[in-house]
Amino acid sequence: KQEVTQIPAALSVPEGENLVLNCSFTDSAIYNLQWFRQDPGKGLTSLLLIQSSQREQTSGRLNASLDKSSGRSTLYIAASQPGDSATYLCAVGNNAGNMLTFGGGTRLMVKP
Amino acid sequence: EAQVTQNPRYLITVTGKKLTVTCSQNMNHEYMSWYRQDPGLGLRQIYYSMNVEVTDKGDVPEGYKVSRKEKRNFPLILESPSPNQTSLYFCASSLSVRSEKLFFGSGTQLSVL
């Protein structure tokens, strides 16, 4: 059974820092991987989707990489801002294309 | 506006009283799914649907039912709710979970007393 782990569980950084969030998964037979953002009391918003054949995806200050063989993905946030404060979750899609398995998330706080 | 709409946002009920949480999407998505989110356990998939009249169990289907009679709606039914079903529930949809992003509703906070 697929297991997804995110480290650290919480992170606090000063504004302007570049930071990396980590996601690891036990079964490399994945179809894709998504990074989500969740704000308190709200639903999840998909930030980046990486197909298993891709190595990375970029959107603005966000860059997500995928190393399928080692079971790892990273989300890089450049020049962090207080508005980036949220919980970030990664989720891997199985090869059957019908299910996502989520990590526990990293709660990020960016201090002004 | 493209969105996934869940209702209600908050629900308090008592053990054994049947309830339905509605989910509707206006994006003509084929794939829809229900998740529950619990502290320390993260998001876990309850049921999913690949298309109309096609539903299947996720990781934690016990105590839940779903139906997909039309493309836009995917209600979650708790026939006899129990306190261990107290949780934050999310509905999500995607044009294709293989290649497209997943869109989430705002969530339903359910408390079963």
Side-chain angles (χ1 to χ4, degrees):
Chain A
K1 183 182 176 184
Q2 180 74 269
E3 292 184 4
V4 182
T5 304
Q6 291 186 248
I7 295 173
L11 182 63
S12 181
V13 300
E15 181 177 4
E17 264 201 18
N18 302 324
L19 57 99
V20 175
L21 307 181
N22 296 294
C23 172
S24 62
F25 45 94
T26 55
D27 186 353
S28 61
I30 66 168
Y31 202 86
N32 56 33
L33 184 146
Q34 284 190 62
W35 281 94
F36 294 86
R37 169 184 173 139
Q38 185 176 23
D39 293 285
K42 296 189 177 181
L44 283 71
T45 300
S46 181
L47 300 171
L48 291 164
L49 169 67
I50 310 176
Q51 300 296 341
S52 61
S53 58
Q54 298 175 321
R55 294 300 301 267
E56 65 178 333
Q57 282 286 335
T58 298
S59 176
R61 293 182 294 108
L62 305 179
N63 176 275
S65 67
L66 174 64
D67 185 342
K68 198 173 112 170
S69 61
S70 68
R72 294 185 178 186
S73 176
T74 61
L75 178 66
Y76 175 83
I77 303 177
S80 58
Q81 303 170 357
D84 294 329
S85 298
T87 297
Y88 292 81
L89 298 100
C90 69
V92 297
N94 65 357
N95 268 340
N98 55 16
M99 292 183 67
L100 291 182
T101 303
F102 283 80
T106 293
R107 190 170 65 253
L108 172 66
M109 178 172 290
V110 181
K111 298 180 179 179
Chain B
E1 180 189 354
Q3 59 185 4
V4 178
T5 303
Q6 287 180 235
N7 280 298
R9 283 296 310 273
Y10 304 93
L11 180 58
I12 301 175
T13 189
V14 295
T15 299
K17 186 175 181 182
K18 180 179 179 179
L19 66 91
T20 299
V21 183
T22 63
C23 174
S24 179
Q25 50 91 6
N26 63 359
M27 297 169 279
N28 201 36
H29 284 171
E30 293 189 346
Y31 179 89
M32 298 187 75
S33 183
W34 277 101
Y35 299 86
R36 61 178 289 174
Q37 187 175 36
D38 302 287
L41 296 175
L43 270 155
R44 293 176 293 168
Q45 192 164 27
I46 304 171
Y47 269 95
Y48 65 92
S49 170
M50 299 294 282
N51 213 325
V52 176
E53 302 290 2
V54 180
T55 63
D56 210 342
K57 298 176 181 179
D59 291 325
V60 288
E62 295 77 20
Y64 304 95
K65 285 176 58 177
V66 293
S67 68
R68 187 91 181 273
K69 296 178 181 177
E70 49 190 343
K71 203 170 191 177
R72 64 183 292 125
N73 296 323
F74 190 44
L76 180 69
I77 304 159
L78 284 72
E79 295 269 3
S80 182
S82 61
N84 63 12
Q85 292 179 298
T86 292
S87 185
L88 179 59
Y89 290 87
F90 288 104
C91 178
S93 74
S94 175
L95 185 62
S96 167
V97 75
R98 282 177 170 266
S99 58
E100 302 291 332
K101 293 182 177 180
L102 197 59
F103 290 81
F104 277 78
S106 297
T108 296
Q109 180 64 59
L110 172 65
S111 295
V112 183
L113 305 178

